[in-house]
Amino acid sequence: MLKQDNTHNERQQRNAGLPASASPSGTAANTVSEPSADSKTAGRPVCNGNFAYLDPRLPKYRDPILANLRIQIVSNTMAKEAANTNVRQIIQSHEETARQAAETANSTFGGPGQSTIQLADSETLSLDWRCQGIHGAAVCTYIANTWAAMMYRELAIMRSVCTAKGQGD
């Protein structure tokens, strides 16, 4: 049973990442650097920009799995994600996987005080957190899927804003 759970968590981790099209080659050059007249786009990238504006919202965990995913998210571009027509389904899938990972993490948490999921949600989880073992992998799967869902929610917002401005994807 332990092997099966670990395999499940490893599979969740593999599936937690962004689409294969995400790569660390983007730059922050296409982001809005000053507030715009439209408050919906203030602090968001231009329609053909990237997700670098999410940088301050993603803790800089040192584990390679989370560190690499973070780089993928902030450098991913709107153009790379334009082909994803089922964004709502993608968001729901990441949210469901995060929920399941949180259940696993909470059921394997053995310490006193706040659970590691609560610490991750409050951004007080140690940046040295390791994605190892059943509990560690579950927490990282939760974080990764929470981040991915955030990026896709932002994509949905940008699609709406850009389409309204006639700059559709």
Side-chain angles (χ1 to χ4, degrees):
M1 183 67 153
L2 185 60
K3 175 85 170 129
Q4 183 180 12
D5 287 341
N6 195 28
T7 302
H8 175 72
N9 285 331
E10 288 169 3
R11 187 172 50 245
Q12 281 183 326
Q13 269 187 300
R14 282 192 304 273
N15 294 335
L18 296 174
S21 64
S23 72
S25 61
T27 65
N30 293 332
T31 59
V32 173
S33 58
E34 58 188 4
S36 66
D38 182 355
S39 63
K40 289 183 179 179
T41 60
R44 287 200 160 76
V46 293
C47 295
N48 62 351
N50 62 28
F51 294 93
Y53 68 97
L54 293 177
D55 181 73
R57 294 170 56 190
L58 305 174
K60 294 180 180 177
Y61 293 107
R62 292 179 188 93
D63 187 273
I65 292 170
L66 294 176
N68 289 332
L69 178 60
R70 188 180 188 286
I71 290 168
Q72 287 180 325
I73 288 173
V74 299
S75 63
N76 198 13
T77 65
M78 300 296 170
K80 287 180 185 177
E81 294 301 327
N84 286 323
T85 58
N86 58 346
V87 173
R88 189 171 296 174
Q89 275 184 327
I90 293 170
I91 293 168
Q92 289 172 344
S93 175
H94 282 296
E95 288 174 343
E96 177 60 20
T97 302
R99 186 190 63 73
Q100 291 172 358
E103 286 178 8
T104 299
N106 288 332
S107 70
T108 59
F109 178 70
Q114 288 186 310
S115 75
T116 47
I117 296 299
Q118 290 171 322
L119 294 173
D121 284 343
S122 65
E123 296 183 11
T124 57
L125 182 66
S126 170
L127 295 177
D128 291 321
W129 182 261
R130 305 302 294 171
C131 300
Q132 298 173 346
I134 293 172
H135 183 74
V139 172
C140 289
T141 299
Y142 171 80
I143 293 168
N145 279 278
T146 300
W147 287 358
M150 176 194 316
M151 186 203 75
Y152 282 106
R153 282 190 298 274
E154 292 294 320
L155 175 65
I157 291 168
M158 284 310 299
R159 279 186 174 176
S160 172
V161 170
C162 293
T163 301
K165 289 184 171 187
Q167 302 172 14
D169 43 38

